[in-house]
Amino acid sequence: MDSDIENDEMEIDAKKAIVQCCEKGNRLDQVVAKLFADYSRSCLSQWIRDGFVSVDGERRLPKYRLKGGEEIVLVPQFDEKVKFLPESIPLNILFEDESLVVIDKPANFVVHPAAGNWSGTLLNALLYHFPQLASVPRGGIVHRLDKDTTGLMVVAKTLQAQNQLVSQLQRREVKREYEAIVTGELVSGGTVDKPIGRHPRNRKMMTVREGGKESKTHYEIITRYSGFSHLCISLDSGRTHQIRVHMSHINYAILGDQTYSPRSKFPKGISYNLKQVINDFKRQALHARKLELIHPLSGDKMSWTCELPEDMRNLLECLSVEG
């Protein structure tokens, strides 16, 4: 499972999928193994027997024959000793009090353990620096950033703070701003208001689709370059991969995004040097630069900002030279 997701609304437990009509008559355990291929068959079978897999809201046995069109909901269960292993990993902590920790997350840093990333995650680091988080669900994590998206994240140090922050996220009261470099020259700012759901063929991807969850992304131009644009982006919702999906949908994909723009072409006239710089940029050019929320204990409005990481600053400098 792609654990590095930009999911700011605590939709991180249940995994959902629709059974295709071609699976009519097939066993539940066989279909679930296809739909959730990142988990082992033995693990999935056990979760079915234990009631952590439902079919249209009903508990079924592994041998249950599907009709096609059902909604499968999986709630993964993990060994707490694996899930909550503290590790001595440095953190860039920008703010800390009795309720909150605000960090500046670097690139190449998965937020939460999952299949394929059981160690070396932000959660593992948090539990080392703040052992009390072992008693808070998900180690106090209330929203995520992609593995290669940098910037601000808030972590709750108490259950009360976590509940308050989750409620703020659900009420759209947490304000987030991002900076992104996209391919193409936008002529003006705008809004993408399109529903997002799981991709029907690639379960690790999201896509704009009917029946998806309401999603709205606002963007403004900071600087326009030859063949590229530097944007400020804000969200009214926090869906998985939302910014990356929406910008790709309007044909201004995030530079370096190998999932949603794997075949990006260079603009005409681009220099050899800039081509090399872009080829060497091995992640999506996306940074969470500002976070604003109501403190769960004091009720005060608080905000934090963090500057672009060095790799994005260098990229912008090269784009500026090109004009």
Side-chain angles (χ1 to χ4, degrees):
M1 187 73 184
D2 185 6
S3 62
D4 49 315
I5 59 177
E6 184 184 287
N7 193 330
D8 294 332
E9 299 189 11
M10 294 302 288
E11 302 168 313
I12 61 179
D13 284 333
K15 316 297 180 185
K16 300 180 181 180
I18 301 297
V19 178
Q20 299 299 309
C21 293
C22 62
E23 298 289 359
K24 181 179 180 179
N26 290 338
R27 287 170 52 116
L28 174 61
D29 54 357
Q30 294 172 338
V31 175
V32 165
K34 294 179 185 177
L35 293 174
F36 306 103
D38 293 313
Y39 305 106
S40 69
R41 286 177 176 266
S42 60
C43 194
L44 289 167
S45 293
Q46 187 62 53
W47 290 342
I48 294 172
R49 289 191 291 270
D50 291 342
F52 296 113
V53 176
S54 64
V55 180
D56 286 341
E58 299 290 334
R59 181 174 178 175
R60 300 295 185 184
L61 295 175
K63 63 182 180 181
Y64 175 76
R65 299 287 176 173
L66 294 162
K67 300 176 178 64
E70 298 99 328
E71 180 183 60
I72 306 291
V73 178
L74 163 69
V75 181
Q77 305 295 306
F78 300 108
D79 185 340
E80 296 292 280
K81 293 179 181 179
V82 174
K83 188 177 181 182
F84 296 110
L85 178 65
E87 294 182 47
S88 180
I89 301 170
L91 292 175
N92 184 8
I93 298 172
L94 304 184
F95 174 85
E96 178 191 356
D97 65 9
E98 68 273 26
S99 299
L100 304 176
V101 177
V102 176
I103 67 162
D104 182 359
K105 188 187 87 66
N108 194 32
F109 199 14
V110 173
V111 169
H112 200 283
N117 292 289
W118 290 117
S119 64
T121 73
L122 172 61
L123 179 58
N124 299 119
L126 288 169
L127 292 172
Y128 176 85
H129 293 278
F130 310 102
Q132 71 270 28
L133 290 178
S135 62
V136 182
R138 304 178 187 87
I141 293 171
V142 296
H143 68 117
R144 300 188 185 191
L145 294 174
D146 290 350
K147 173 185 175 182
D148 285 325
T149 296
T150 56
L152 293 168
M153 287 187 61
V154 62
V155 177
K157 293 178 72 175
T158 67
L159 181 59
Q160 178 190 14
Q162 187 180 54
N163 290 336
Q164 289 274 358
L165 290 173
V166 170
S167 295
Q168 288 184 47
L169 283 163
Q170 292 173 340
R171 295 193 301 266
R172 311 288 194 260
E173 294 174 351
V174 176
K175 306 300 182 184
R176 293 147 291 165
E177 285 186 4
Y178 296 76
E179 285 189 48
I181 304 170
V182 301
T183 55
E185 299 176 41
L186 284 153
V187 296
S188 65
T191 296
V192 184
D193 187 357
K194 296 288 184 180
I196 290 176
R198 188 70 60 179
H199 195 286
R201 293 183 299 278
N202 186 338
R203 304 301 299 172
K204 293 186 178 183
M205 293 178 62
M206 308 300 288
T207 189
V208 168
R209 60 179 298 179
E210 286 189 27
K213 294 186 177 181
E214 178 186 356
S215 309
K216 189 178 292 186
T217 302
H218 309 280
Y219 57 91
E220 298 178 358
I221 299 172
I222 298 174
T223 307
R224 186 165 44 242
Y225 301 98
S226 178
F228 302 92
S229 301
H230 179 199
L231 306 180
C232 173
I233 297 177
S234 60
L235 305 175
D236 279 359
S237 50
R239 308 305 182 195
T240 302
H241 297 176
Q242 178 175 328
I243 293 174
R244 297 164 64 189
V245 170
H246 271 172
M247 297 313 297
S248 178
H249 180 73
I250 63 171
N251 297 317
Y252 293 95
I254 306 295
L255 188 151
D257 190 340
Q258 294 303 305
T259 299
Y260 295 100
S261 183
R263 298 180 181 86
S264 296
K265 295 181 179 179
F266 291 116
K268 291 182 179 180
I270 189 173
S271 70
Y272 176 80
N273 179 62
L274 183 54
K275 285 182 182 180
Q276 291 299 110
V277 170
I278 292 173
N279 283 333
D280 290 340
F281 196 87
K282 301 298 185 182
R283 69 179 184 94
Q284 63 267 9
L286 184 61
H287 174 72
R289 75 172 187 184
K290 184 175 181 179
L291 176 68
E292 183 178 294
L293 52 82
I294 304 300
H295 193 281
L297 190 61
S298 69
D300 295 333
K301 181 180 288 188
M302 304 187 72
S303 66
W304 299 268
T305 58
C306 63
E307 67 176 14
L308 285 171
E310 184 178 5
D311 61 350
M312 284 186 68
R313 294 200 306 271
N314 291 340
L315 183 55
L316 288 171
E317 287 178 9
C318 291
L319 290 172
S320 180
V321 170
E322 292 281 316

